[in-house]
Amino acid sequence: MSAAIAGAALCVSLPSISGVIDRPHYKVDGMVIVWAADSGGNTPIASDFILEDGGANTDLISTDVHTVVTGTLDALDESFADGYGAALRIQRPGQNTRQGDRFTSADDTLNAFEIRNNTDVRTIRSEIESSFFVASNKAFNIDVVASSLGDPADLNLIRLRMRLDRTGTDGGLSYGTSAQFPHSGNSNTAGLQWTNYRRLSAITTNQDIFRGNRRTAASVGTIADQSVRFDLDYRWNTGNIDLSEGTFDVEAQVDYTVYIP
């Protein structure tokens, strides 16, 4: 009997101990959404969605953003397709004449003017203003680099200045109602690395142009609500160009890289 009891005791096991580990983890990384136009001139389109991933930046959209004409949602390339550029002025026309709207566009008209012995045509300083929009949940930076599309000397003739606009309405779409300036300086120049015009020839290698220290989103809202507008002002000024100079183009490409540092 005692042997049988001993044998039964050998068949008894202690309760097993096991662990169940469950670690659900949700994380919102830094992200920046850049929007304006696409390469086909469609607006408003978000063509860059930048996600911070382990210290690196990944753009989830493979295309690039193209700028719009400042104050509108018109794609820059589409609006200036007819060669809008250097403005012209009729100097010293005869009495009772005007010089029209002074821009060399096929859509323009001039009033008839009297020719006198000192009447002349001159170019005047021209500016092209373009913009893109940014919404973010984290601070971001912007770099810039310029390249020529023809004569490299053209880069000496164009100057660039950047500004920010926190809120407004362009093309019927409001932006910035839930946004803040992406730099604690709280101004349209805060975070900009230079505040005056700079020749494009000075930025043919990658340069800092904006350094932010906070997100654009200040309160609950849509992407447009939480966006600010970056305004790019290109100035062309070579003084008076005479008709003897013939025809010419001054053109460049400027690339902006938005990223989370």
Side-chain angles (χ1 to χ4, degrees):
M1 178 63 70
S2 61
I5 293 173
L10 293 173
C11 295
V12 176
S13 63
L14 296 173
S16 63
I17 299 174
S18 65
V20 177
I21 299 173
D22 195 7
R23 293 182 178 175
H25 180 204
Y26 299 95
K27 180 181 180 182
V28 175
D29 288 312
M31 66 182 71
V32 180
I33 300 170
V34 189
W35 58 279
D38 65 10
S39 59
N42 301 300
T43 64
I45 300 291
S47 298
D48 278 321
F49 195 111
I50 302 156
L51 184 68
E52 182 185 31
D53 181 19
N57 282 234
T58 300
D59 190 353
L60 302 184
I61 304 176
S62 61
T63 56
D64 293 319
V65 172
H66 293 253
T67 57
V68 295
V69 179
T70 300
T72 76
L73 290 178
D74 298 331
L76 181 67
D77 290 343
E78 180 179 73
S79 297
F80 295 158
D82 67 349
Y84 175 103
L88 295 179
R89 176 173 59 199
I90 307 301
Q91 291 187 315
R92 298 176 295 277
Q95 292 291 330
N96 302 318
T97 62
R98 293 185 300 169
Q99 59 189 38
D101 65 6
R102 304 189 305 175
F103 296 104
T104 56
S105 165
D107 294 328
D108 291 334
T109 60
L110 286 170
N111 293 321
F113 56 91
E114 179 185 351
I115 298 292
R116 302 192 296 185
N117 62 4
N118 60 353
T119 302
D120 208 347
V121 177
R122 290 288 187 263
T123 59
I124 61 176
R125 186 180 72 194
S126 299
E127 295 186 20
I128 293 177
E129 298 178 347
S130 58
S131 300
F132 60 90
F133 301 81
V134 177
S136 76
N137 69 347
K138 192 172 182 179
F140 60 91
N141 295 342
I142 303 177
D143 287 353
V144 62
V145 63
S147 57
S148 63
L149 294 177
D151 186 349
D154 288 351
L155 298 181
N156 284 318
L157 305 179
I158 304 174
R159 298 173 185 262
L160 165 65
R161 185 185 70 177
M162 177 184 275
R163 291 290 187 268
L164 285 80
D165 195 51
R166 188 188 63 79
T167 185
T169 300
D170 290 349
L173 179 64
S174 295
Y175 65 90
T177 55
S178 299
Q180 61 186 356
F181 284 112
H183 191 281
S184 55
N186 272 329
S187 75
N188 69 338
T189 60
L192 295 179
Q193 300 304 290
W194 72 80
T195 56
N196 296 319
Y197 288 91
R198 179 173 292 187
R199 294 180 188 271
L200 296 189
S201 57
I203 53 174
T204 55
T205 57
N206 214 44
Q207 303 284 320
D208 298 341
I209 191 169
F210 174 78
R211 292 292 176 264
N213 62 9
R214 64 184 185 182
R215 61 183 178 267
T216 67
S219 60
V220 174
T222 66
I223 292 174
D225 292 339
Q226 296 173 343
S227 295
V228 299
R229 192 182 74 190
F230 283 85
D231 297 334
L232 316 168
D233 187 354
Y234 299 96
R235 177 174 289 181
W236 177 80
N237 188 5
T238 61
N240 288 332
I241 301 297
D242 189 84
L243 294 178
S244 64
E245 299 286 339
T247 64
F248 58 90
D249 290 317
V250 176
E251 190 174 7
Q253 179 166 314
V254 186
D255 295 314
Y256 299 87
T257 302
V258 184
Y259 65 97
I260 298 171

